[in-house]
């Protein structure tokens, strides 16, 4: 032990058993091997810190077991994965990225707005599966329950349990807990919007519920603004009909001076009665239609509710249904009266038509009165006064009164809707703030781990995005950018501007009318658009964007791995963004510590990843004639070892030559 120093293999207990019963008397231990070879056992004993245990290994994390393909390049293949570290190896263009992207696609993991080369990544899935192609993932959740996730190209994924379709299951929460994905160049692609993408990958799934509420609340705000838009000209219409009414009343004064109103009183009364008769008929017709809709809406629901039978609380539900039956009987009374109501409605409309007959019979009488009145007016010198004009003016007044009555109701509706909109905007803002609090709580927990990388968040802090959105909406209004900057600087969002519209118009100044016009035309968009939160990522106290590409990628991968909250980590070719020293000294060493509790899937052409990472499963990829061929096995499997040497080291000759050179360098150093 002194001679070997820090390097010391496992101690192996030997025995010379004379019978079967004497076996297993020593201390029980478990070897982790990937192939039934002496070399695998030897390596496990040498690497006893990682491959030897007194207890059997148990996986608590959710993980993928198999990936099966139907159609085109990968058709008929089934890839078995380890719950720990899996590496897809192959030269460039061998299809390893296609397999990795198909996993992302099946699990419905989104790229994020800042992802690099999404067209290529989507194309690699389509190329691998082909038209009608399907990928099926068999996975195990944190409780050991097995699922099948099936996805056909260009269709939504379906989840099956025991062969039964289970709609509504959250794949990235229930099946595989919080999988995280970085495609090629995603680690180093830290341009505009990158911070939001990273936060989404870290905490996005926890925001699903509040974001559902936000979506529903946005719809409410949109619907209220739509209804308000229909009432936007109520005040103008009120003025229009008030003016018509006043004008008609003024002109009627001349007719009253000549006694025209008294002489046409009977005709005027019949016109009013005719109008009222029609109103009553229309009202009854609306009532019957509403009654039919009401009964249709609740009839089946009353019946279905009454069928419920409790298994454990029968006595309670018997008493509950006594009260329910009273309400249902009342409803049934309404329903049974419908036929009688419809019959009475028909009779009422028939009766209303009788009045039209009576009125039409008086046409000649009214015409005679009009002729006599015209002659009287001519003889008195009032030749400009026509009895028919008097009747028209009376009709204008009656119509104006009706319209003003309806418009007054609309004005009341408008006022109520404006109050309702303010309440809905407050609720929407509360949901936005709830989302922010969830994000901040998650980030505070991450920051408390005291890693070199920290993320700060500011509520509605992205003023640059707010300004850009505002400029786009007000394009063509000739509003000066300086004024829009003032507006965005003073108010937190569109809702804040709406609440302080008069103050905002004063700030805009001379172009306030144009501002108000554009604001109202885009009201729904302005009120429902969420000003993004401002995220600032710092690495060793300096903003991440100010570090080199390699430093950024290294910081991010180490940060993501250190969270230990993602059951599945998928990374495509991390070596594209990291140097070899970082891969081994930082990433691989950390992965080896974490892989018992996290499933890793790497696509790589760097031998350090599968070899130094001691990959439990290696998938060697080769692009054949119109197919992607795979060879699957452990790092202990001789065939896969040969594939690693051939594919990733340039062949055994190159490998041996490099080893010789390294030995020469080592002797030179000594």
């Amino acid at each position: 032990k002194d001679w070997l120093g820090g390097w010391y293999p496992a101690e192996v207990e030997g025995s010379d058993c004379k019978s079967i019963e004497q076996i297993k008397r020593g201390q029980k231990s478990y070897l982790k091997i990937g192939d039934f070879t002496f070399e695998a056992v030897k390596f496990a004993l040498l690497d006893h810190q990682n491959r030897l245990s007194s207890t059997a290994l148990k996986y608590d994390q959710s993980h993928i077991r198999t990936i099966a393909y139907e159609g085109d390049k990968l058709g008929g293949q089934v890839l078995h994965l380890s719950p720990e570290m899996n590496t897809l190896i192959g030269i460039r263009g061998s299809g390893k990225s296609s397999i990795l992207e198909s996993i992302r696609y099946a699990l419905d993991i989104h790229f994020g707005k800042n992802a690099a080369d999404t067209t290529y990544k989507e194309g690699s899935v389509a190329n691998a599966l082909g038209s009608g192609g399907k990928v099926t993932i068999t996975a195990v959740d944190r409780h050991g329950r097995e699922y099948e996730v099936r996805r056909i190209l260009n269709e939504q994924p379906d989840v099956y349990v025991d062969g039964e379709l289970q709609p509504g299951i959250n794949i990235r929460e229930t099946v595989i807990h919080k999988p995280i994905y970085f495609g090629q160049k995603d680690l180093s692609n830290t341009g505009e919007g990158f911070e939001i993408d990273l936060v989404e990958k870290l905490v996005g799934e926890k925001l699903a519920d509040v974001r559902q509420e936000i979506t529903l609340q946005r719809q409410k705000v949109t619907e209220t603004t739509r209804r308000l838009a229909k009432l936007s000209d109520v005040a103008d219409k009120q003025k229009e009909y008030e003016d018509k009414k006043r004008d008609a009343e003024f002109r009627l004064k001349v007719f009253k001076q000549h006694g025209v109103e008294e002489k046409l009183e009977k005709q005027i009364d019949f016109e009013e009665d005719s109008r009222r008769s029609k109103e009553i008929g229309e009202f009854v017709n609306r009532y019957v239609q509403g009654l039919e809709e009401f009964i249709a809406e609740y009839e089946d629901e009353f019946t279905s509710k009454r069928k419920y039978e409790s298994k454990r609380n029968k006595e309670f539900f018997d008493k509950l249904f006594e009260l329910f039956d009273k309400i249902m009987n009342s409803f049934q009374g309404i329903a049974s009266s419908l036929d009688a109501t419809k019959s009475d409605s028909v009779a009422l409309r028939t009766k209303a038509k009788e009045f039209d007959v009576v009125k039409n019979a008086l046409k000649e009488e009214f015409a005679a009165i009009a002729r006599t009145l015209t002659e009287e007016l001519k003889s008195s010198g009032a030749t400009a006064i026509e009895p028919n004009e008097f009747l028209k003016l009376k009709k204008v007044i009656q119509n104006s009164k009706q319209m003003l009555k309806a418009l007054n109701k609309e004005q009341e509706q408008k006022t109520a809707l404006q109050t309702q909109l303010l309440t809905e905007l407050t609720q929407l803002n509360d949901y936005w703030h709830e989302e922010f609090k969830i994000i901040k709580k998650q980030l505070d927990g991450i920051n408390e781990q005291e890693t070199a990388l920290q993320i700060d968040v500011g509520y509605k802090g992205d003023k640059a995005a707010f300004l850009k959105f505002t400029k786009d909406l007000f394009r063509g209004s000739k509003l000066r950018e300086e004024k829009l900057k003032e507006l965005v600087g003073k108010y937190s969002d569109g809702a804040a501007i709406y609440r302080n519209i008069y103050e905002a118009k004063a700030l805009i100044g001379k172009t306030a009318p144009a501002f108000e016009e554009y604001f109202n035309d885009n009201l729904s968009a302005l009120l429902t658009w969420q000003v993004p939160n401002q995220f600032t990522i710092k690495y060793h106290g300096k903003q991440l964007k100010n570090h080199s590409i390699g430093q950024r990628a290294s910081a991010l991968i180490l940060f993501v791995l250190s969270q230990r909250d993602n059951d599945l980590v998928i990374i495509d070719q991390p070596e594209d963004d990291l140097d070899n020293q970082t891969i081994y000294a930082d990433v691989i060493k950390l992965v080896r510590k974490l892989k018992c509790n996290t499933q890793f899937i790497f696509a790589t052409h760097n031998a350090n990843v599968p070899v130094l990472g001691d990959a439990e499963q290696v998938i060697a990829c080769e692009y054949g004639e119109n197919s992607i061929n795979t060879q699957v096995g452990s790092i202990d499997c001789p065939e896969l070892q040969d594939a690693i040497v051939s594919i990733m080291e340039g062949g055994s000759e190159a490998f041996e030559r490099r080893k010789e050179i390294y030995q020469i360098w080592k002797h030179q150093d000594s």
Side-chain angles (χ1 to χ4, degrees):
K1 197 169 185 179
D2 291 338
W3 182 69
L4 292 172
W7 184 86
Y8 189 73
E11 295 180 358
V12 181
E13 178 182 324
S15 66
D16 185 14
C17 301
K18 306 303 180 186
S19 67
I20 294 295
E21 289 74 19
Q22 291 180 349
I23 297 175
K24 296 185 180 179
R25 286 187 178 180
Q27 181 182 346
K28 184 183 290 187
S29 59
Y30 295 86
L31 287 180
K32 183 180 179 183
I33 58 174
D35 199 57
F36 297 111
T37 64
F38 175 76
E39 286 73 18
V41 174
K42 177 182 175 183
F43 183 77
L45 294 172
L46 292 172
D47 189 23
H48 61 91
Q49 296 94 337
N50 299 302
R51 293 246 200 157
L52 181 63
S53 175
S54 60
T55 58
L57 192 60
K58 182 177 180 293
Y59 299 106
D60 295 322
Q61 80 273 22
S62 53
H63 58 274
I64 297 172
R65 279 184 175 167
T66 63
I67 314 161
Y69 295 93
E70 296 177 36
D72 213 20
K73 306 290 190 302
L74 289 159
Q77 297 195 55
V78 179
L79 306 180
H80 295 264
L81 300 188
S82 164
E84 298 189 46
M85 185 174 178
N86 304 269
T87 54
L88 296 153
I89 66 170
I91 63 173
R92 295 185 188 276
S94 60
K96 56 187 184 297
S97 291
S98 295
I99 294 174
L100 186 142
E101 288 297 332
S102 72
I103 299 170
R104 176 202 61 76
Y105 184 71
L107 297 179
D108 201 27
I109 302 173
H110 305 298
F111 290 121
K113 294 180 181 177
N114 201 57
D117 203 1
T118 56
T119 303
Y120 164 75
K121 292 168 183 174
E122 289 172 342
S124 66
V125 176
N127 180 58
L129 298 181
S131 179
K134 182 170 78 171
V135 55
T136 300
I137 285 180
T138 303
V140 178
D141 69 10
R142 287 184 163 190
H143 308 290
R145 185 162 194 177
E146 188 173 282
Y147 299 80
E148 265 195 6
V149 181
R150 307 174 188 174
R151 189 167 192 182
I152 298 170
L153 185 65
N154 299 325
E155 302 285 346
Q156 291 300 306
D158 294 315
V159 179
Y160 290 79
V161 177
D162 298 327
E164 294 287 329
L165 178 65
Q166 303 292 327
I169 286 182
N170 188 327
I171 296 173
R172 301 187 305 279
E173 194 67 40
T174 304
V175 182
I176 299 292
H177 181 71
K178 294 184 68 175
I180 193 165
Y181 154 88
F182 290 93
Q184 289 185 34
K185 300 296 181 183
D186 284 352
L187 287 168
S188 60
N189 189 28
T190 51
E192 184 180 352
F194 160 77
E195 295 87 352
I196 295 175
D197 278 358
L198 179 62
V199 171
E200 283 295 313
K201 287 180 177 181
L202 293 173
V203 303
E205 295 300 326
K206 292 187 180 293
L207 302 172
D209 291 341
V210 71
R211 284 183 172 168
Q212 179 65 22
E213 296 293 344
I214 288 171
T215 299
L216 294 174
Q217 193 62 28
R218 274 194 177 118
Q219 291 172 355
K220 289 181 181 179
V221 171
T222 299
E223 175 59 20
T224 303
T225 55
R226 185 190 66 79
R227 292 169 65 191
L228 270 173
K230 288 185 174 181
L231 300 173
S232 61
D233 59 348
V234 169
D236 292 337
K237 286 183 177 179
Q238 282 179 315
K239 183 178 183 307
E240 177 188 346
Y241 282 98
E242 283 285 1
D243 289 345
K244 283 183 178 181
K245 179 171 163 289
R246 289 194 190 97
D247 180 65
E249 287 172 341
F250 177 79
R251 291 167 64 186
L252 278 179
K253 289 179 182 179
V254 177
F255 290 91
K256 288 181 179 180
Q257 290 171 1
H258 290 83
V260 173
E261 187 169 11
E262 292 82 0
K263 293 171 182 176
L264 294 176
E265 185 176 1
K266 183 177 180 180
Q267 186 174 355
I268 293 168
D269 290 344
F270 265 81
E271 290 288 349
E272 176 64 14
D273 289 346
S274 177
R275 185 179 66 80
R276 292 287 184 177
S277 174
K278 288 177 181 176
E279 276 185 4
I280 292 169
E282 290 169 358
F283 164 74
V284 170
N285 191 44
R286 290 199 309 274
Y287 169 72
V288 171
Q289 288 179 346
L291 200 59
E292 288 177 325
E293 291 171 1
F294 170 75
I295 292 167
E297 182 179 358
Y298 291 101
E299 193 168 27
D300 290 341
E301 201 164 353
F302 265 110
T303 304
S304 65
K305 293 283 189 292
R306 192 60 184 84
K307 289 179 179 177
Y308 179 74
E309 293 182 8
S310 173
K311 294 179 180 178
R312 301 184 184 276
N313 300 288
K314 186 177 184 305
E315 186 177 343
F316 168 79
F317 275 92
D318 285 344
K319 293 178 180 179
L320 182 74
F321 279 126
E322 284 179 14
L323 298 170
F324 183 81
D325 287 345
K326 290 180 180 180
I327 298 168
M328 188 166 72
N329 290 337
S330 174
F331 170 79
Q332 288 172 342
I334 296 171
S336 63
S337 69
L338 177 61
D339 289 339
T341 302
K342 289 167 76 173
S343 178
D344 291 339
S345 171
V346 172
L348 185 142
R349 289 198 299 272
T350 303
K351 194 67 179 175
K353 289 178 181 178
E354 291 178 9
F355 183 80
D356 290 337
V357 174
V358 175
K359 179 187 167 189
N360 290 334
L362 295 172
K363 279 183 179 179
E364 288 300 327
E365 181 183 333
F366 293 152
I369 292 171
R371 288 193 297 271
T372 303
L373 184 56
T374 301
E375 291 300 323
E376 289 176 1
L377 290 170
K378 283 182 179 179
S379 62
S380 64
T383 54
I385 298 175
E386 290 285 340
N388 285 339
E389 186 181 354
F390 171 81
L391 294 172
K392 288 178 182 178
L393 291 172
K394 289 292 286 186
K395 199 166 187 177
V396 167
I397 292 171
Q398 289 296 337
N399 288 341
S400 296
K401 285 180 178 179
Q402 281 183 275
M403 285 300 301
L404 285 169
K405 186 178 179 181
L407 288 169
N408 286 337
K409 285 185 178 180
E410 287 187 0
Q411 184 60 51
E412 291 173 5
Q413 290 177 7
K414 183 178 179 180
T415 303
L417 283 172
Q418 287 170 334
T419 303
Q420 179 182 325
L421 181 58
L422 291 173
T423 303
E424 289 172 350
L425 289 174
T426 299
Q427 182 63 68
L428 180 59
N429 193 63
D430 287 346
Y431 285 134
W432 283 338
H433 193 250
E434 182 65 27
E435 178 193 50
F436 165 77
K437 288 192 294 183
I438 294 171
I439 293 171
K440 190 173 189 308
K441 182 180 178 181
Q442 294 298 310
L443 294 183
D444 286 346
I446 290 170
N447 292 336
E448 284 170 6
Q449 296 178 21
E450 296 183 354
T451 62
L453 196 144
Q454 300 277 294
I455 306 177
D456 298 326
V457 56
Y459 182 53
K460 295 184 182 178
D462 195 345
K463 291 290 187 178
F466 187 20
L467 178 61
K468 182 180 182 303
F469 174 78
T470 307
K471 284 167 64 178
D472 289 342
L473 279 188
F474 284 88
R475 185 170 285 116
S477 65
K478 297 184 180 179
L479 290 174
R480 290 184 0 218
E481 185 174 334
E482 291 75 14
K483 289 296 181 183
L484 291 177
K485 282 182 179 177
E486 284 186 55
L487 202 69
V488 166
K490 185 168 185 176
Y491 300 105
S492 60
D493 58 13
I497 299 173
Y498 177 75
R499 289 190 181 94
N500 300 277
I501 190 65
Y502 295 109
E503 185 181 83
K505 283 158 63 177
L507 184 151
I508 293 296
K510 293 179 181 179
T511 53
F515 165 76
E516 186 173 24
E517 179 186 349
Y518 274 75
F519 190 89
N520 289 331
D521 288 346
N522 298 282
L523 186 61
S524 177
L526 280 159
L527 297 184
T528 57
W529 188 75
Q530 183 178 5
V531 176
N533 298 317
Q534 181 75 50
F535 297 100
T536 305
I537 302 179
K538 294 180 180 178
Y539 183 51
H540 289 300
K542 186 169 75 171
Q543 283 199 35
L544 186 66
K545 64 183 181 181
N546 296 328
H547 287 272
S548 69
I549 291 176
Q551 286 176 320
R552 279 181 272 176
S554 300
L556 284 172
I557 192 169
L558 294 173
F559 173 75
V560 169
L561 295 178
S562 67
Q563 303 316 306
R564 307 188 184 192
D565 194 31
N566 308 96
D567 283 2
L568 172 62
V569 177
I570 302 171
I571 303 179
D572 192 1
Q573 296 180 192
E575 67 272 10
D576 288 355
D577 302 315
L578 307 172
D579 56 71
N580 280 336
Q581 184 177 358
T582 300
I583 288 174
Y584 176 64
D586 296 323
V587 177
I588 297 302
K589 286 184 178 180
L590 184 55
V591 166
R592 291 193 67 164
K593 288 180 183 178
L594 300 178
K595 64 181 181 177
C596 288
N597 300 305
T598 304
Q599 185 177 40
F600 292 94
I601 304 176
F602 292 102
T604 181
H605 45 75
N606 186 311
N608 287 329
V609 177
V611 176
L612 301 181
D614 195 22
E616 280 68 30
Q617 198 75 315
V618 179
I619 302 169
C621 303
E622 182 183 18
Y623 202 95
E625 188 175 347
N626 297 319
S627 65
I628 298 172
N629 302 315
T630 58
Q631 185 181 1
V632 183
S634 164
I635 195 75
D636 291 337
C637 178
E639 290 80 11
L640 267 300
Q641 291 171 353
D642 290 342
I644 291 170
V645 171
S646 174
I647 294 170
M648 312 182 87
E649 299 286 359
S652 57
E653 184 179 342
F655 177 71
E656 292 296 333
R657 179 60 179 156
R658 271 197 299 276
K659 188 165 71 171
E660 290 175 8
I661 293 171
Y662 292 153
Q663 288 295 328
I664 293 170
W665 290 351
K666 184 177 180 181
H667 290 310
Q668 287 176 345
D669 291 339
S670 60

